[in-house]
């Protein structure tokens, strides 16, 4: 009689196993969702692309619309969204911002088919846009970042 009573009060091993498996599955699901959200919240790093910059081979003068620098990818794995690309030129103590919209001192023109990205096969031309950046032979320092990380490439270009 005592044995029958103990069996009625105890949880069967089958039910215990099912409960343990269910708890494990739910816990694994919660951990997966948590880890996935942590990974998604991490900012994307920069890019492994690298560029080459060189003189645009146009004569520069005292005007404010001279073509200055041609840029192309030396190595490109992905297109870069212009919303996260920053290009700045520096001459002496002066720094000039560049944009594809033409609303900065330096204008970026591109030859690709998608104006929202710097494509892997695309050539860029940096030109003056209402500011006299260079007049004659000028050394221009070039700063390019993507998502806040420097993009590897030519650090300065001497133009004529």
């Amino acid at each position: 009689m005592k044995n029958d009573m103990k069996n009625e009060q105890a949880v069967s091993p089958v039910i215990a196993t099912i409960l343990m498996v269910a708890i494990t599955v739910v816990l694994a699901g919660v951990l997966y969702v948590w880890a996935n959200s942590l990974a998604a919240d991490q900012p994307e790093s920069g890019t492994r692309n690298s560029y080459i910059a060189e003189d645009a081979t146009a004569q520069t003068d005292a005007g404010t619309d001279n073509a200055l620098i041609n840029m192309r990818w030396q190595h490109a794995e992905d297109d870069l969204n212009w919303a996260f690309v920053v290009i700045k030129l520096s001459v002496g103590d002066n720094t000039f911002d560049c944009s594809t919209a033409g609303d900065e001192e330096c204008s970026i023109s591109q030859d690709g088919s998608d104006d929202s990205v710097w494509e892997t096969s695309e050539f860029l031309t940096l030109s003056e846009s209402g500011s006299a950046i260079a007049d004659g032979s000028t050394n221009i320092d070039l700063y390019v970042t993507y998502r806040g990380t420097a993009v590897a490439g030519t650090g300065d270009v001497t133009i004529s």
Side-chain angles (χ1 to χ4, degrees):
M1 190 72 169
K2 283 185 173 183
N3 220 5
D4 289 337
M5 199 173 193
K6 284 184 182 178
N7 285 342
E8 288 177 12
Q9 292 175 353
V11 177
S12 86
V14 172
I15 293 174
T17 303
I18 291 171
L19 285 173
M20 288 176 60
V21 168
I23 290 171
T24 303
V25 167
V26 168
L27 184 59
V30 168
L31 287 174
Y32 172 78
V33 169
W34 177 69
N36 196 26
S37 71
L38 280 178
D41 291 342
Q42 296 300 313
E44 267 188 53
S45 62
T47 181
R48 293 193 299 192
N49 293 9
S50 62
Y51 66 89
I52 294 175
E54 54 199 7
D55 184 358
T57 65
Q59 291 260 316
T60 58
D61 57 25
T64 60
D65 61 350
N66 295 303
L68 302 173
I69 297 172
N70 287 331
M71 296 175 68
R72 62 184 164 79
W73 291 118
Q74 180 177 19
H75 170 79
E77 294 180 1
D78 43 33
D79 295 338
L80 303 187
N81 186 323
W82 280 115
F84 304 108
V85 176
V86 174
I87 298 179
K88 293 181 180 280
L89 305 180
S90 184
V91 177
D93 293 335
N94 299 315
T95 301
F96 304 94
D97 295 321
C98 299
S99 79
T100 57
D103 57 353
E104 298 290 345
E105 303 97 341
C106 167
S107 177
I108 303 168
S109 59
Q110 49 192 33
D111 70 344
S113 59
D114 186 350
D115 290 343
S116 67
V117 294
W118 183 359
E119 298 171 79
T120 57
S121 60
E122 189 167 39
F123 288 84
L124 304 180
T125 300
L126 307 182
S127 302
E128 296 172 331
S129 181
S131 294
I133 297 173
D135 183 4
S137 181
T138 306
N139 188 53
I140 299 177
D141 293 320
L142 188 60
Y143 302 95
V144 180
T145 61
Y146 182 65
R147 294 187 178 270
T149 304
V151 178
T154 309
D156 67 324
V157 176
T158 299
I159 61 168
S160 55

